[in-house]
Amino acid sequence: MNLTFYKYQGTGNDFVVLDNRNQDLELSREQVAFLCDRRKGVGADGLMLLQPKEDFDFEMVYYNADGRPSSMCGNGGRCLVAFAQFLGVVEDQAYFLAADGPHQAYLKDGLVHLQMKDVDTIEDLEDACFLNTGSPHYVKQVPALKELDVYAEGRAVRYSDRFKAEGTNVNFVEHQPENKLFVRTYERGVEDETFSCGTGVTAAALAASRAGYTSPVQIEVLGGELQVSFEQEDGQFKNVFLIGPAVQVFHGEINL
């Protein structure tokens, strides 16, 4: 099969993106993993299909780099909104369905504003916290984050007794002045540190609100800058938006 693909990135979180509006693409786990392979394929943290869905502008179908279907990906969602605009499916607003339910988004001044799911609870752990922002996230505040071995420390949490079966994403957060966070994330499915994780920085921002951070929180990741805005009431969060750039890097064809 000769496959036309597009490559997008959002703050260094990169994706193979496919137009499946004709609904003629059925990729195996092995084919998805091949396309995401950085040595043998295109190379990406994940793969997305844009396909039609009744009552929505489109549906987002997301796969991790290991080829398995996955939960919501925030940076992926922002990139797919930009792709939908590129295809002419939407103009400057979108309403789409993802693994965790409906999402609204809009494009303004070169940035994609993606509404994330409401968050009702944050679970306190011994020295961290756990919450679901469309994907499960463990969040731990640390000092000297630049020196931390995120791969080793993140992998130890991801494969701990509690999280081994279903997996979790693991975020390490350094609090900085002026309402800013520095975040590094080990992602399940990729099984490595990524340059950015949208649902991860969302989780980090909501967790930091309990330490006095206010909306919007400015976030530095290895791949650039993001923002998270939200409304908070009685420990619950709504109108949560992940805000940042989404860029088409290149497109091409590959034989599967």
Side-chain angles (χ1 to χ4, degrees):
M1 175 173 59
N2 196 37
L3 184 68
T4 299
F5 69 88
Y6 295 80
K7 178 73 176 284
Y8 273 77
Q9 65 91 9
T11 53
N13 207 185
D14 60 342
F15 309 96
V16 172
V17 184
L18 305 176
D19 179 1
N20 196 31
R21 286 177 293 172
N22 292 333
Q23 296 187 282
D24 55 359
L25 292 178
E26 292 186 11
L27 301 179
S28 67
R29 178 184 170 187
E30 291 74 20
Q31 287 174 319
V32 172
F34 165 74
L35 288 167
C36 293
D37 190 290
R38 297 192 182 277
R39 294 187 180 273
K40 299 178 181 178
V42 179
D45 293 327
L47 179 145
M48 293 182 290
L49 302 177
L50 183 149
Q51 57 192 40
K53 187 70 174 180
E54 187 176 0
D55 299 326
F56 295 88
D57 292 318
F58 59 89
E59 180 180 18
M60 170 185 174
V61 179
Y62 183 76
Y63 296 89
N64 279 328
D66 61 6
R68 296 178 185 273
S70 187
S71 49
M72 180 58 184
C73 174
N75 286 328
R78 293 191 306 98
C79 286
L80 204 63
V81 169
F83 182 55
Q85 184 188 55
F86 167 76
L87 294 177
V89 174
V90 301
E91 294 183 1
D92 57 358
Q93 297 187 55
Y95 180 58
F96 68 95
L97 183 66
D100 63 339
H103 288 264
Q104 294 182 342
Y106 64 94
L107 300 99
K108 182 180 180 181
D109 299 330
L111 300 178
V112 181
H113 299 239
L114 173 64
Q115 188 171 27
M116 307 296 284
K117 66 174 287 184
D118 293 347
V119 174
D120 295 331
T121 58
I122 299 179
E123 178 188 355
D124 286 310
L125 305 177
E126 183 176 351
D127 60 349
C129 64
F130 181 77
L131 61 159
N132 193 308
T133 53
S135 289
H137 284 278
Y138 174 102
V139 179
K140 182 177 181 178
Q141 183 182 349
V142 298
L145 180 51
K146 287 185 178 179
E147 286 72 48
L148 185 71
D149 187 342
V150 169
Y151 176 81
E153 297 290 334
R155 190 173 179 83
V157 174
R158 184 259 185 267
Y159 286 101
S160 63
D161 289 343
R162 167 162 181 180
F163 299 115
K164 187 174 184 179
E166 296 297 326
T168 187
N169 302 286
V170 184
N171 306 272
F172 300 99
V173 182
E174 183 178 307
H175 289 192
Q176 298 182 337
E178 300 180 352
N179 212 52
K180 189 171 185 178
L181 302 175
F182 176 36
V183 181
R184 296 175 65 185
T185 303
Y186 177 98
E187 285 198 49
R188 67 171 184 174
V190 180
E191 303 307 335
D192 204 348
E193 181 179 8
T194 57
F195 271 46
S196 177
C197 175
T199 53
V201 300
T202 303
L206 301 187
S209 72
R210 303 195 300 174
Y213 277 69
T214 57
S215 175
V217 179
Q218 309 298 317
I219 300 169
E220 177 190 355
V221 294
L222 295 181
E225 302 281 339
L226 292 162
Q227 297 178 54
V228 175
S229 65
F230 54 88
E231 296 176 10
Q232 180 183 11
E233 185 176 350
D234 298 327
Q236 299 181 327
F237 302 87
K238 61 182 181 179
N239 289 326
V240 180
F241 277 86
L242 173 66
I243 305 161
V247 180
Q248 184 180 137
V249 182
F250 62 88
H251 70 276
E253 295 182 350
I254 190 169
N255 288 318
L256 283 182

